[in-house]
């Protein structure tokens, strides 16, 4: 077993251990798609209908923990059956039997998933073509193994917790008043210099590639990619950067937007997710039949990303405008918040908990006013709803979220 496979096995074993410890297997129904969640005004409870038509409930409260990176974006030419005779898949639906080894690989996209695929395809494949619509800024990851001394010290509980706290503090300072994403923010300015220096140093021998890899927007305006290996992979003789989108597939490959044909054995869609649509995989109906999708026509919004008016006892994990680092800190806060009113409901001290419309609207006006001052407004991205409203990002620090803004 190689080092990468060993790490994955250890991560899987850890997750399985947590699931067993808290008896989650007995409480979890796997391979089951939720179709709808519906509130009853009469019983003040929810019923859930799954893909097999089975009705579950009634439930006094529901927590949606589907996040928003759950619906792959598939280009029109790759939907359903295609004429392509090789392997084709989206990065989120990678099949165990797929291999890059010895193949002519085409990678569509240049985001976080794409750079990882390109790195491995350059090592294993015969050739790699990267189809780029627009470049992204790349930050060096500076990845390295812990030294034996560091590993020993990390096993010492006070040192471990100190280092964890230091990491959190770094995130907190970096995101104070959205300095990492605010126009003129000191962290944003520092990062801009760093990504430019990294690109200059990496592409010193290839000014042609440097021109193709230089974005026309500020760092953080779109999701910044972190990688030590992407730029070196692009310098390989096996890798070709195609600065065009793919327009169609053929039996033996693809045709790019300029009409050029490319022969491929494998197509990897690193095209991201439909991140602009929260809770897009099932319908939710609340008081008086309110439809959540209709209520969010202008873009998803919620009080602290957790609750939205007209949907009592309905809580969201990783809801609108709660994307910030470290993510687990936000998840823990959301879980604790949701548990408190649910406990009251279960014990009969309350029948329903709702987001008050006046507080919800005031909160979101303040949030959007702060977001309007960030670089996230510069260019369209998956941070935005179709209306242009920024719906995924948190505009303050993690501590500000924990303290209620």
């Amino acid at each position: 077993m190689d080092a990468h496979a060993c790490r994955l096995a250890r991560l899987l074993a850890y997750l399985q251990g947590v699931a067993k410890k808290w008896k989650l297997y007995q409480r979890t129904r796997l391979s089951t798609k939720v179709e709808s969640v519906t509130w009853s005004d009469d019983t003040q409870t929810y019923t859930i209908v799954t893909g097999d038509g089975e009705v579950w409930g009634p439930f006094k409260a529901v927590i949606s923990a589907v996040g928003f990176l759950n619906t792959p974006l598939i280009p029109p030419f790759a939907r359903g059956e295609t004429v392509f005779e090789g392997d084709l898949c989206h990065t989120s639906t990678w099949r165990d039997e797929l291999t890059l080894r010895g193949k002519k690989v085409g990678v569509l996209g240049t985001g976080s998933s794409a750079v990882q695929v390109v790195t491995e395809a350059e090592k294993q494949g015969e050739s790699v073509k990267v189809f780029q619509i627009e470049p992204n800024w790349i930050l060096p990851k500076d990845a390295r193994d812990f030294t034996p001394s560091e590993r020993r010290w990390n096993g010492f509980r006070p040192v471990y917790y100190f280092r964890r706290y230091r990491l959190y503090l770094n995130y907190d300072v970096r995101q104070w008043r959205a300095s990492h994403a605010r126009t003129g923010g000191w962290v944003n300015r520092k990062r801009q210099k760093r990504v430019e220096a990294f690109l200059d140093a990496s592409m010193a021998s290839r000014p042609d590639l440097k021109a193709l890899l230089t974005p026309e927007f500020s760092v953080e305006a779109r999701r910044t990619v972190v990688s030590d290996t992407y730029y070196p992979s692009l310098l390989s003789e096996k890798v070709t950067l195609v600065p065009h989108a793919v327009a169609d597939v053929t039996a033996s490959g693809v045709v790019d937007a300029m009409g050029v044909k490319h022969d491929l054995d494998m197509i990897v869609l690193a095209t991201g997710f439909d991140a602009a649509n929260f809770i897009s995989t099932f319908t939710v109906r609340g008081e008086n039949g309110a439809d959540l999708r209709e209520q969010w026509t202008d873009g998803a919004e919620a009080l602290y990303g957790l609750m939205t008016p007209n949907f009592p006892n309905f809580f969201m994990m990783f809801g609108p405008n709660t994307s910030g680092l470290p993510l687990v800190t936000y998840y823990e806060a959301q879980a604790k918040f949701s548990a408190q009113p649910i406990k009251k409901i279960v014990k009969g001290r309350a029948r329903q908990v709702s987001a008050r419309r006046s507080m919800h609207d005031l909160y979101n006006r303040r949030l959007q006013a702060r977001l309007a001052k960030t670089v996230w407004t510069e260019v369209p991205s998956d941070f935005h709803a179709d209306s242009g409203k920024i719906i995924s990002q948190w505009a303050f620090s993690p501590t500000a979220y924990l303290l209620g803004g």
Side-chain angles (χ1 to χ4, degrees):
M1 182 182 294
D2 61 27
H4 179 67
C6 184
R7 285 193 294 269
L8 289 178
R10 290 176 65 185
L11 285 171
L12 178 59
Y14 168 75
L15 293 172
Q16 290 173 333
V18 172
K20 290 176 182 176
K21 176 182 178 180
W22 298 104
K23 300 180 180 178
L24 298 182
Y25 285 111
Q26 298 95 305
R27 298 180 173 93
T28 305
R29 186 176 177 87
L30 301 172
S31 303
T32 303
K33 184 181 186 299
V34 171
E35 294 287 351
S36 65
V37 177
T38 305
W39 171 259
S40 168
D41 291 320
D42 295 330
T43 63
Q44 295 189 323
T45 58
Y46 283 101
T47 54
I48 294 176
V49 177
T50 51
D52 56 7
E54 192 166 354
V55 179
W56 299 78
F59 298 105
K60 294 182 178 181
V62 171
I63 299 176
S64 169
V66 298
F68 66 101
L69 299 179
N70 49 41
T71 305
L73 277 177
I74 308 296
F77 56 78
R79 295 170 189 166
E81 295 293 326
T82 72
V83 297
F84 182 59
E85 296 176 352
D87 294 318
L88 187 155
C89 76
H90 190 276
T91 51
S92 67
T93 56
W94 192 276
R95 304 185 299 278
D96 289 341
E97 70 272 14
L98 291 179
T99 178
L100 300 162
R101 197 166 301 282
K103 293 181 179 178
K104 292 180 286 187
V105 181
V107 180
L108 280 61
T110 54
S112 297
S113 297
V115 301
Q116 297 175 67
V117 175
V118 170
T119 296
E120 292 303 314
E122 189 275 330
K123 293 176 184 177
Q124 302 179 35
E126 176 187 325
S127 64
V128 186
K129 290 190 176 181
V130 183
F131 295 89
Q132 171 187 280
I133 298 177
E134 282 189 289
N136 288 313
W137 286 114
I138 310 285
L139 272 171
K141 189 174 184 179
D142 295 331
R144 64 175 180 82
D145 290 333
F146 286 120
T147 66
S149 175
E150 287 174 318
R151 290 179 185 275
R152 286 194 300 271
W153 278 107
N154 283 340
F156 185 45
R157 192 176 293 267
V159 173
Y160 173 81
Y161 281 114
F162 169 74
R163 289 177 174 169
R164 293 271 298 181
Y165 175 74
R166 187 172 60 184
L167 283 171
Y168 175 86
L169 187 62
N170 177 268
Y171 284 124
D172 209 45
V173 171
R174 193 171 74 197
Q175 294 171 96
W176 177 252
R177 300 184 66 242
S179 182
H180 65 303
R182 182 167 43 82
T183 304
W186 70 272
V187 175
N188 187 265
R189 295 198 307 270
K190 183 178 178 181
R191 282 197 159 191
Q192 187 70 54
K193 292 178 181 178
R194 193 178 183 203
V195 293
E196 290 174 357
F198 185 44
L199 178 59
D200 289 344
S202 300
M203 296 295 151
S205 63
R206 292 290 305 274
D208 57 322
L209 269 181
K210 177 187 171 183
L212 295 176
L213 293 168
T214 304
E216 296 182 351
F217 49 83
S218 302
V219 67
E220 299 291 346
R222 287 188 178 149
R223 215 172 294 276
T224 303
V225 177
V226 181
S227 174
D228 293 329
T229 58
Y230 183 58
Y231 285 158
S233 295
L234 291 179
L235 294 173
S236 169
E237 293 181 354
K238 294 165 63 174
V239 179
T240 303
L241 180 66
V242 181
H244 310 295
V246 168
D248 205 355
V249 294
T250 66
S252 60
V254 300
V255 180
D256 69 29
M258 304 304 289
V260 178
K261 294 183 179 180
H262 303 266
D263 288 334
L264 302 169
D265 301 316
M266 184 175 187
I267 300 171
V268 180
L269 305 175
T271 45
F273 298 86
D274 186 11
N277 291 310
F278 283 79
I279 310 185
S280 61
T281 57
F282 58 91
T283 60
V284 184
R285 295 194 179 276
E287 293 177 311
N288 300 312
D291 186 296
L292 187 59
R293 292 180 189 174
E294 292 179 2
Q295 184 163 306
W296 281 351
T297 300
D298 191 45
E301 58 183 11
L303 185 61
Y304 290 101
L306 282 159
M307 301 191 75
T308 193
N310 301 320
F311 296 86
N313 303 2
F314 184 79
F315 305 87
M316 291 168 276
M317 299 285 290
F318 205 12
N321 295 113
T322 63
S323 182
L325 295 174
L327 280 174
V328 173
T329 297
Y330 292 80
Y331 300 157
E332 290 175 341
Q334 291 157 9
K336 288 177 181 177
F337 174 90
S338 302
Q340 292 171 357
I342 288 175
K343 185 176 181 180
K344 292 181 180 179
I345 294 169
V346 170
K347 290 190 172 184
R349 296 204 299 266
R351 292 208 65 184
Q352 67 178 67
V353 178
S354 302
R356 188 180 301 170
R357 171 61 72 177
S358 58
M359 292 299 297
H360 170 276
D361 292 350
L362 177 64
Y363 164 83
N364 280 285
R365 283 197 299 271
R366 178 174 177 251
L367 179 61
Q368 290 298 322
R370 175 56 62 88
L371 289 168
K373 299 176 181 178
T374 67
V375 296
W376 295 321
T377 62
E378 284 188 8
V379 288
S381 72
D382 59 4
F383 299 155
H384 301 80
D386 292 340
S387 64
K389 182 169 69 176
I390 300 172
I391 59 170
S392 65
Q393 303 307 98
W394 171 245
F396 305 91
S397 67
T399 295
Y401 186 82
L402 298 181
L403 297 177

